[in-house]
Amino acid sequence: MNRSSNGKLRMLGVNVGGGLLALTAVGTMAIGSTLALFSASETSAVNSFESGTVTVGPGDTASVVCKVQGIAPGDSSSMATLGSKSMNSCDYSVKYTGTSAAWLSVDVLIASTGTSLFTGDAKGLQYFVNDGATKIIDGTTFETIDGSVTAATSGVTVEHIMLSSSPAANGDTVDFTIDYLLPLLAPNSLQGANSSITLTFHAVQSANQPLGDCQAGRQCNTITWG
Amino acid sequence: MRSRLAISMIGISALAIQLGSGSSSTSARFSSSATSAASEFTGATLSATVAPVIIPSLEGRSVRLRWGAVSSARPVAYEVRRIDGLGNAAPVCVAPSAPTVNAGSASCLDGTAMADSTYTFTQRPYIDIPGSTPWSLAPSVAGTSFLVPRLGFLDSGAAVGSTGARIDVPYPTVARTGDVLLLVSVSGRNRPPTTPAGWTTLVSRGIGGSSTVHLYVAWKVNDGGASVTFDPQTNGLGASARVIVYGRTNGNTATPVVSASGVIGTSAASTTLTPPTGPTVTGSNSTVISLVATGGATSPSLSAPQQFGLRLSTNSTPGSGSVSLGIADANVAATGGTTAPPTWSQTSALQWAYATLAFR
């Protein structure tokens, strides 16, 4: 019953309400928008997300690119272990400019066109690449992740020699020095031979990348370098 | 409707799979890198790339070796070897007689080459860095064989002029006992000088008239004296005399001798002279000497040297007139051999007096 009378009322209401609504709507249309309803709203504070950066740039000191023509047995740069020590060292200065903490590493590419001065043994050109106390290339060799001393090969990039076991922060600088020595034992066949060395400086976020077994001065291929 | 919806759902699933596989490489990290400019190193080289051939010649008592200098960014030294007729090689031109370079030419004196021996020579240029494995070129090919003469020109002496009856002519200081001394007098008066004691006259030939001159040559084996005095039989026109030394080369202990009858004469007035062929030498490895004189300051020179090398061309005015003298020499290897005469030239067409002599 209740349900029946309610139904009737609802029907009546519908009819009555529908009529009122229609009237109101018509009225509104007729009068314009001069009738605002009471309302309120609330907006949260902005939640913003900004990514960190991992960038590198030139260092604070000028890099020195070597163009040594006519190098002869016994010639070496100032900080080489042996030889004349009469020639200038080469230098590559870079800076970490990102905002995120980052791991740093360097690739070394020794290459040549034609006969290579770098023979990978004691008779050819020796490179001594350092970042301060960290040895990158020691004559003809580098260290793999387990500390094995391995010969570098001309034309094959030595990848990802770790520069530090601590993440770099914005503004950290790295100054690579490249010293060189052509031993007195260099054979006659190296007359007119050539070699070049190129460094590629890498930075990658250290967050969510554990260092693992990587150490400074050794190859580090267990983290993703980008 | 249902089948279309099902197809759409399959498409979305495929897209999701694709995205899923893409995100399997989402392990990329924020990273950056920078690459240096390449530092470059080039080994030293030698230029030329082929070691130049040695050209030997006699210089005094020794053998002068010459070849084109090789250059490099570093000091270049040379390893010089002498190869005898048996193929035995020996280093020569070692310190303190190491090769020197002047105006693009390297040279050194081989002071141990022996008279009457035949050699070839090679040199190997290398970058001179003490203690290093030498960076070098392949040794030069051996040049033509060189026979070391028994006698070599040493000095043309100082000219002494006189218009009187006595000339005192000093020996060059380089003369050693056993060397060949030639007393050469050119007088503006056509009269034979007096042969000095201990000397042997080889040439006394003159020209009268407008080309008046007298060429006189005497010789001796040096016995240790210091000078020679003689009467040139000249007058106010004057005579110019000198003592020329041909020294015995290394290893030659034989007493020098005249090895041919000289070819001596005069010729018509001309700016050129080619003396008659000869002489024919009577011993191997003889030194042939060509002398010319004129009664004027005509500066004799070799216009066609053949195998001759000019040793002296001089004008002098010992009195009221001028005279000139030219001397050149060549070597004849074989007994019974001769050499093509040179052609002399002078600046005025005067008559010539000439002589071609030989010693060994």
Side-chain angles (χ1 to χ4, degrees):
Chain A
M1 185 152 150
N2 283 340
R3 291 180 66 178
S4 168
S5 59
N6 285 346
K8 288 178 180 175
L9 283 171
R10 192 173 61 188
M11 288 182 62
L12 178 63
V14 167
N15 290 335
V16 173
L20 285 172
L21 282 173
L23 181 60
T24 302
V26 171
T28 301
M29 290 176 64
I31 297 169
S33 55
T34 57
L35 292 179
L37 299 178
F38 288 163
S39 65
S41 62
E42 177 73 17
T43 302
S44 72
V46 174
N47 288 298
S48 63
F49 301 87
E50 186 174 348
S51 64
T53 62
V54 174
T55 56
V56 296
D60 295 332
T61 59
S63 296
V64 177
V65 178
C66 292
K67 302 286 183 186
V68 180
Q69 299 283 333
I71 192 169
D75 285 348
S76 68
S77 59
S78 55
M79 298 304 289
T81 53
L82 294 171
S84 67
K85 302 184 181 183
S86 60
M87 309 179 98
N88 292 329
S89 302
C90 329
D91 186 83
Y92 180 44
S93 180
V94 286
K95 179 189 283 187
Y96 180 63
T97 56
T99 58
S100 299
W103 301 123
L104 305 181
S105 74
V106 65
D107 294 350
V108 181
L109 174 61
I110 298 168
S112 71
T113 54
T115 303
S116 179
L117 266 180
F118 182 85
T119 55
D121 58 25
K123 294 183 178 180
L125 188 63
Q126 312 284 301
Y127 286 114
F128 304 95
V129 183
N130 299 297
D131 163 27
T134 303
K135 288 183 179 179
I136 312 298
I137 298 289
D138 186 17
T140 60
T141 61
F142 64 97
E143 290 189 28
T144 58
I145 192 167
D146 61 358
S148 301
V149 175
T150 304
T153 302
S154 184
V156 178
T157 301
V158 175
E159 292 185 316
H160 306 313
I161 303 294
M162 197 78 184
L163 300 182
S164 172
S165 54
S166 301
N170 181 278
D172 286 355
T173 59
V174 178
D175 287 311
F176 297 103
T177 56
I178 303 172
D179 281 283
Y180 48 91
L181 160 69
L182 188 60
L184 288 169
L185 294 172
N188 194 29
S189 58
L190 296 186
Q191 251 188 87
N194 65 81
S195 179
S196 66
I197 184 167
T198 307
L199 305 184
T200 299
F201 175 59
H202 290 289
V204 67
Q205 67 179 65
S206 59
N208 307 313
Q209 291 221 87
L211 190 58
D213 293 330
C214 292
Q215 296 182 28
R218 293 183 181 180
Q219 216 167 24
C220 175
N221 290 322
T222 57
I223 65 176
T224 301
W225 288 99
Chain B
M1 281 288 286
R2 281 188 175 180
S3 64
R4 282 185 183 174
L5 180 60
I7 291 170
S8 298
M9 290 301 290
I10 290 170
I12 290 169
S13 298
L15 179 61
I17 289 168
Q18 284 182 349
L19 288 172
S21 64
S23 64
S24 68
S25 52
T26 55
S27 57
R29 306 292 195 273
F30 284 179
S31 65
S32 181
S33 64
T35 299
S36 70
S39 285
E40 298 171 345
F41 304 84
T42 304
T45 56
L46 293 158
S47 179
T49 56
V50 176
V53 174
I54 288 178
I55 300 172
S57 62
L58 188 67
E59 183 174 302
R61 303 179 196 276
S62 303
V63 177
R64 170 66 68 182
L65 306 177
R66 288 188 176 84
W67 62 94
V70 170
S71 62
S72 175
R74 299 307 175 86
V76 175
Y78 301 89
E79 180 184 83
V80 184
R81 288 184 172 272
R82 183 183 65 211
I83 299 105
D84 66 18
L86 300 175
N88 300 313
V92 296
C93 297
V94 296
S97 302
T100 57
V101 174
N102 185 24
S105 178
S107 73
C108 65
L109 270 182
D110 174 7
T112 57
M114 300 294 283
D116 287 328
S117 297
T118 299
Y119 302 107
T120 57
F121 298 88
T122 66
Q123 58 89 12
R124 184 174 68 108
Y126 63 94
I127 296 175
D128 188 16
I129 298 174
S132 72
T133 300
W135 283 14
S136 65
L137 298 180
S140 65
V141 298
T144 54
S145 297
F146 181 74
L147 170 64
V148 180
R150 296 160 67 98
L151 298 172
F153 173 84
L154 291 183
D155 199 314
S156 59
V160 179
S162 175
T163 56
R166 176 188 171 94
I167 298 180
D168 187 33
V169 186
Y171 297 172
T173 56
V174 295
R176 294 180 192 163
T177 299
D179 289 344
V180 171
L181 302 178
L182 298 178
L183 170 61
V184 181
S185 171
V186 183
S187 175
R189 183 188 188 195
N190 183 13
R191 177 174 289 193
T194 302
T195 301
W199 291 72
T200 301
T201 296
L202 297 174
V203 180
S204 185
R205 183 62 59 95
I207 301 167
S210 59
S211 298
T212 298
V213 67
H214 195 98
L215 172 63
Y216 175 81
V217 181
W219 88 287
K220 72 179 291 185
V221 174
N222 185 15
D223 55 5
S227 65
V228 57
T229 300
F230 78 110
D231 179 357
Q233 293 289 322
T234 189
N235 54 18
L237 293 168
S240 178
R242 64 180 67 228
V243 172
I244 295 166
V245 182
Y246 277 84
R248 292 187 294 184
T249 52
N250 294 315
N252 179 14
T253 57
T255 299
V257 296
V258 173
S259 62
S261 298
V263 176
I264 301 164
T266 60
S267 75
S270 173
T271 56
T272 62
L273 165 71
T274 302
T277 299
T280 299
V281 300
T282 57
S284 63
N285 206 11
S286 292
T287 297
V288 176
I289 304 171
S290 174
L291 302 99
V292 295
T294 66
T298 58
S299 304
S301 62
L302 289 176
S303 54
Q306 305 297 349
Q307 298 302 311
F308 284 77
L310 183 66
R311 301 301 186 185
L312 178 68
S313 173
T314 183
N315 300 326
S316 59
T317 308
S320 59
S322 295
V323 293
S324 64
L325 173 65
I327 299 175
D329 61 48
N331 201 65
V332 175
T335 301
T338 187
T339 185
T343 297
W344 290 90
S345 296
Q346 61 178 342
T347 55
S348 300
L350 298 178
Q351 286 181 275
W352 302 79
Y354 62 83
T356 308
L357 311 172
F359 301 87
R360 66 185 294 271

